[in-house]
Amino acid sequence: MVEEGALLKRIPLKDYYDEICKCMRCGWCRGLCPVQDFVNREANAPRGRIQILKALLEGDLPNISNYAIERLYFCTTCAYCLWRGPSGVKTVDVIEAARATLVNLGCVTPPAHKRILENIRSVKNPFGEPQEKRAEWLPDDVKPLEKAPTLYWAGCMASYRVMDTSVATVKVLKASDVDFMILGPREGECGSVLIRAGYWSAAKELAQENRRLFKDVGVRTLVTSCAGCYRTFSYDYPMKLGVDLHKELGMEIIHSSQFFECLIRDGKLKPEGIKLAVAYHDPCHLGRCMGVYDAPRNVLKAIPGVVLKEVPLRNRFLASCCGAGGGFRSAFREFSIKQAIRRIEQAQQAEIDALATACPFCVENFREGMKRARERLPVYDLPELLAKSLRL
């Protein structure tokens, strides 16, 4: 239990009090939240979470129970309630600030998140994998430059779990004659998983470390295929951690889908035909959180033979979450897979040959969901399909 007075002294949540007060308690979010019905209680809906936090800040609750804490973590931070709720409460920022407050107070938080923190501090990745193996995915026929203005930031998931994404990305970059470098074992964490889990102090240390590294190697453009990395570098660093890579270093942060779109438009990439009906899944971090909807679709449309089909009623800002975000997969693995299966079932309504997305975390969760559901629908990250069309 945490006494009420202590909560008021901590900054992260207190700074969002005005946002919390915007909630009209209409209940519209209850039917929108992708994971609310897994534990069908008011406290498991966005409205319930917001009211818990409001009561705590106003001193109407004497303490916060472990049950209430768990409800604050039982959220994928997908931003669906933000976009569909009429009051416009910045629910994702509020929940993340609440988690940061809980961490500051020493509350009982998910054990899986603590292990991730320990792994990042010891070996600079959430999986506990050896740092020297960070770039073992690099194919022998791709030779990045030692120093170049464009950096490909693979990210943890594409470095250790979904290596097809990083392999395909560098092959596409090579085919387009882009001068680029990678950091290899020097690449650490962007801090996304720490921010979602509430470890803002540790995330700020990473942000400052990355800023020094980017300055030292002279990065001008950072390209990443991870939606979480993209959001973290572009939004979370300046808004939550006080590190603005664009203002301080003049860096451009760009998602690989946007970069590929430009390369195709400029004639540097000329995809060949693939006969495939594909539904595109919008990653929450890339779509609702950052507004990138068109670039991935334009890349798919540029591939001759690819028929892009939208998931009925569940695409763009209405897209349902894959279930992996917000630390949800690590803390509530089974529920995360159940949500992935739900999303797969939605996509299959479009009568498709494959499911495509633009985030390796989504890919990993969907592929596990496919195995659990005994489905054989292929799941591709966008760079994979583009590389396939380029015969790489």
Side-chain angles (χ1 to χ4, degrees):
M1 299 294 185
V2 176
E3 296 302 320
E4 59 178 308
L7 192 63
L8 294 172
K9 297 177 183 178
R10 308 310 293 226
I11 293 299
L13 181 59
K14 188 178 178 182
D15 286 350
Y16 289 92
Y17 179 71
D18 289 343
E19 281 297 320
I20 289 171
C21 289
K22 289 180 182 178
C23 178
M24 301 184 298
R25 295 181 289 181
C26 65
W28 184 250
C29 59
R30 285 178 58 86
L32 302 175
C33 178
V35 298
Q36 186 270 332
D37 65 336
F38 286 143
V39 180
N40 196 13
R41 298 287 186 272
E42 174 66 17
N44 210 52
R47 178 178 69 177
R49 298 187 191 103
I50 293 297
Q51 294 311 308
I52 288 173
L53 297 176
K54 186 172 186 289
L56 285 167
L57 286 175
E58 294 179 346
D60 291 335
L61 287 179
N63 49 53
I64 182 166
S65 67
N66 290 339
Y67 173 80
I69 291 172
E70 185 177 83
R71 302 282 62 77
L72 295 174
Y73 281 91
F74 202 87
C75 169
T76 65
T77 63
C78 72
Y80 200 68
C81 51
L82 164 63
W83 278 91
R84 295 298 306 276
S87 58
V89 179
K90 295 179 180 179
T91 45
V92 173
D93 288 337
V94 169
I95 292 299
E96 291 178 353
R99 293 174 180 178
T101 300
L102 295 174
V103 168
N104 288 350
L105 292 169
C107 295
V108 178
T109 55
H113 291 177
K114 292 183 179 180
R115 287 194 295 272
I116 285 173
L117 174 65
E118 293 168 359
N119 287 338
I120 290 175
R121 282 179 168 166
S122 61
V123 290
K124 296 187 177 181
N125 69 83
F127 310 116
E129 298 284 359
Q131 181 66 4
E132 60 270 19
K133 295 184 177 181
R134 186 100 193 189
E136 284 194 349
W137 54 265
L138 185 67
D140 293 336
D141 60 342
V142 177
K143 306 294 182 184
L145 299 177
E146 288 295 322
K147 193 168 185 178
T150 298
L151 167 69
Y152 171 57
W153 176 278
C156 60
M157 185 61 78
S159 293
Y160 293 110
R161 295 293 184 268
V162 188
M163 287 83 80
D164 291 345
T165 294
S166 49
V167 170
T169 300
V170 295
K171 285 187 174 183
V172 172
L173 293 176
K174 177 186 176 183
S176 65
D177 291 325
V178 171
D179 290 334
F180 73 96
M181 62 178 170
I182 65 171
L183 294 174
R186 291 182 296 168
E187 181 181 297
E189 272 300 300
C190 69
S192 177
V193 292
L194 296 181
I195 295 170
R196 312 311 154 214
Y199 296 109
W200 286 14
S201 295
K204 185 168 185 175
E205 293 175 8
L206 283 179
Q208 293 170 338
E209 181 180 329
N210 286 330
R211 176 177 56 192
R212 289 192 294 269
L213 178 58
F214 296 154
K215 183 178 181 180
D216 289 344
V217 299
V219 179
R220 305 303 298 171
T221 301
L222 184 152
V223 179
T224 182
S225 297
C226 178
C229 293
Y230 174 66
R231 177 193 167 191
T232 299
F233 288 134
S234 302
Y235 177 79
D236 294 314
Y237 271 28
M239 298 301 294
K240 294 184 174 74
L241 307 180
V243 174
D244 194 320
L245 298 175
H246 178 69
K247 287 185 178 180
E248 297 174 38
L249 303 181
M251 284 176 57
E252 179 185 14
I253 312 297
I254 187 168
H255 188 263
S256 60
S257 64
Q258 299 168 311
F259 200 64
F260 295 155
E261 180 187 33
C262 292
L263 293 174
I264 292 171
R265 182 191 61 207
D266 295 343
K268 295 181 178 180
L269 290 175
K270 297 180 180 179
E272 298 180 25
I274 300 177
K275 189 176 181 181
L276 205 64
V278 176
Y280 174 70
H281 164 78
D282 291 277
C284 303
H285 285 315
L286 189 63
R288 275 187 295 271
C289 290
M290 296 301 296
V292 178
Y293 297 109
D294 292 332
R297 288 173 169 82
N298 289 340
V299 172
L300 290 172
K301 290 176 183 177
I303 301 175
V306 167
V307 178
L308 177 60
K309 294 190 173 185
E310 297 288 1
V311 180
L313 305 177
R314 293 285 187 172
N315 59 77
R316 293 183 177 263
F317 78 96
L318 296 176
S320 192
C321 180
C322 77
F328 194 75
R329 176 182 164 88
S330 55
F332 306 100
R333 185 66 167 267
E334 292 304 312
F335 289 116
S336 174
I337 301 305
K338 286 182 180 179
Q339 176 57 27
I341 293 172
R342 282 180 173 179
R343 183 57 174 160
I344 291 166
E345 291 171 349
Q346 293 172 2
Q348 287 175 322
Q349 295 176 15
E351 298 182 356
I352 54 176
D353 302 318
L355 178 62
T357 187
C359 178
F361 278 86
C362 295
V363 171
E364 178 78 349
N365 219 39
F366 282 139
R367 286 178 178 171
E368 187 163 349
M370 291 290 182
K371 291 179 182 177
R372 293 286 188 91
R374 297 183 179 179
E375 295 285 352
R376 295 186 178 181
L377 186 71
V379 179
Y380 294 105
D381 207 343
L382 186 67
E384 293 180 83
L385 276 181
L386 184 56
K388 188 180 179 69
S389 75
L390 294 167
R391 307 297 188 261
L392 301 177

